Amino acid sequence: MRWSRVVNVVKCHVGGEINNVVTGGIGDVPGSTVFEKMKHFREHRDDLRQLLLHEPRGSVTQCVNFVVPATDPEAQMGYVIAESTEYPAMSGSNTMCVATALLETGMIPMVEPVTDIVLEAPAGLIRIRCTCENGKVTSVEFENQPAFAYEIGVPLELDGYGTLTVDVAWGGMAYVLADADQLGLKLQPDEAREICDLGQKLKTAAAEQIPVVHPTNPEFAGITQTEFVGPLSRTDGVLTARNAVVVSPGRLDRSPCGTGTSARLAVLKAKGLVEVGEKFVHESVIGSRFESRIDRLTKVGTYDAVVPRVSGQAYITELSQVGLDPADPFPTGYTLSDTWPTAP
């Protein structure tokens, strides 16, 4: 066996969403902040993301996280999030998997029954409380960077559907949120392909018609995500709803989505539908659940914002080494439209 590159990967999922964690083999990554390290990956080392996420080693349904040294003295570690077509500033499901991998592999010492850690994401510091028992992380609750609504109830023209009314919010990524009922969606597993096709069209239209710029970091991406939101209900007195997030290039997030949950909390607060501290349970298309709440209110630039807390449980599924044979004809993999609906 001859490999020109070897990376150590802790394979994980949370709520069914695959968020693998690279714990070794990437070497030094320049940058005075983790956001700058993320830009270095995007501009100079994207071949590594492609190696791990493209076929034949990966798939469109996977994400990967590169563990890097933190640059802020408050944080124990940093992590750069890489998805199918972009490097987001923040991802809740990925954060849960990174925290679980770091604790369960001993990269950060585990303290039972609770381990508090701080990680540095490209979006900034993420404070995390992990409940632990018998060497297992049984819950990860993270305090996200502030979330806020850019627009509430704005019109959006979508071919074949006329004028829709949507919301636009930041939850660590920028989302266009559309009511599932107005589009005839029940957010069930058998609608997954329909949801993805419509979600791609919707986010493309929203990015063109509703340009948004983050008030404190204009380098954060504009609208790249669609979130279809189901109706609110109360289950045993707890505010509950289903959602479906479409990740480019057109695939369904299997989890309830941490940044999507944060964005929805911001929209619900702007509409007066949730109170600070009130539990909100968000459910994915496959029935997995995250618990969440608004911890407190704040401001981001001129926007009223919320500080969300979101929790779930991640699971390690495999420890592996991924290598590259120098003679391999697919060193950065490939994508085909039968699984990648649009080119990355």
Side-chain angles (χ1 to χ4, degrees):
M1 183 175 67
R2 52 170 193 168
W3 280 351
S4 59
R5 168 177 280 169
V6 183
V7 292
N8 299 322
V9 182
V10 181
K11 296 192 173 182
C12 308
H13 86 86
V14 60
E17 178 76 355
I18 301 169
N19 301 136
N20 297 329
V21 183
V22 174
T23 57
I26 60 175
D28 183 49
V29 182
S32 61
T33 64
V34 170
F35 182 74
E36 288 187 1
K37 292 178 185 291
M38 177 271 285
K39 291 199 294 181
H40 181 82
F41 267 104
R42 186 178 63 201
E43 295 163 11
H44 303 289
R45 301 188 64 181
D46 194 50
D47 59 320
L48 188 53
R49 179 191 64 84
Q50 295 175 60
L51 174 81
L52 295 169
L53 295 185
H54 290 178
E55 296 179 61
R57 299 166 193 84
S59 76
V60 74
T61 58
Q62 297 181 10
C63 303
V64 68
N65 300 272
F66 302 107
V67 175
V68 297
T71 64
D72 190 302
E74 279 197 72
Q76 286 104 315
M77 292 280 189
Y79 60 111
V80 171
I81 308 150
E83 298 192 348
S84 307
T85 63
E86 65 176 317
Y87 291 86
M90 177 55 188
S91 166
S93 61
N94 280 289
T95 297
M96 294 176 193
C97 286
V98 171
T100 299
L102 291 174
L103 289 176
E104 292 192 11
T105 63
M107 292 182 70
I108 293 178
M110 181 185 293
V111 178
E112 299 185 10
V114 174
T115 307
D116 289 321
I117 62 175
V118 180
L119 300 180
E120 186 181 355
L125 294 180
I126 307 297
R127 302 180 190 280
I128 304 168
R129 171 154 288 193
C130 300
T131 305
C132 307
E133 184 178 357
N134 297 323
K136 170 65 187 168
V137 178
T138 58
S139 175
V140 178
E141 182 183 81
F142 69 91
E143 180 183 291
N144 202 357
Q145 289 286 313
F148 57 91
Y150 283 111
E151 300 281 357
I152 296 292
V154 295
L156 176 72
E157 298 297 325
L158 188 65
D159 287 346
Y161 292 86
T163 304
L164 303 178
T165 300
V166 300
D167 306 311
V168 178
W170 174 266
M173 304 175 76
Y175 286 82
V176 54
L177 295 90
D179 188 295
D181 282 349
Q182 74 173 318
L183 293 160
L185 297 173
K186 300 300 182 184
L187 304 185
Q188 299 295 333
D190 61 1
E191 296 177 317
R193 186 69 266 154
E194 179 185 358
I195 291 170
C196 290
D197 290 342
L198 181 56
Q200 280 299 105
K201 293 175 183 177
L202 206 156
K203 78 176 69 175
T204 299
E208 292 173 351
Q209 297 175 39
I210 316 170
V212 295
V213 178
H214 194 279
T216 62
N217 189 339
E219 290 190 77
F220 287 163
I223 296 170
T224 61
Q225 304 281 92
T226 296
E227 182 173 3
F228 293 105
V229 298
L232 295 171
S233 63
R234 290 198 177 271
T235 304
D236 298 326
V238 177
L239 193 65
T240 305
R242 182 164 277 212
N243 86 113
V245 167
V246 179
V247 181
S248 292
R251 66 92 172 175
L252 198 60
D253 191 330
R254 273 63 174 153
S255 81
C257 188
T259 56
T261 298
S262 298
R264 190 165 190 188
L265 282 172
V267 168
L268 291 174
K269 186 67 180 75
K271 293 181 176 181
L273 298 174
V274 69
E275 299 297 326
V276 174
E278 181 178 3
K279 182 191 289 188
F280 173 53
V281 175
H282 222 190
E283 185 175 280
S284 76
V285 166
I286 64 170
S288 55
R289 290 183 162 200
F290 287 166
E291 292 187 0
S292 68
R293 69 183 187 276
I294 297 171
D295 186 77
R296 59 192 184 274
L297 304 180
T298 188
K299 299 280 284 190
V300 178
T302 60
Y303 293 100
D304 292 328
V306 303
V307 177
R309 297 189 71 89
V310 184
S311 64
Q313 183 173 6
Y315 301 87
I316 294 176
T317 60
E318 184 180 339
L319 302 177
S320 69
Q321 289 185 316
V322 178
L324 174 62
D325 187 316
D328 192 321
F330 303 110
T332 55
Y334 56 85
T335 61
L336 291 175
S337 60
D338 61 337
T339 54
W340 293 70
T342 58

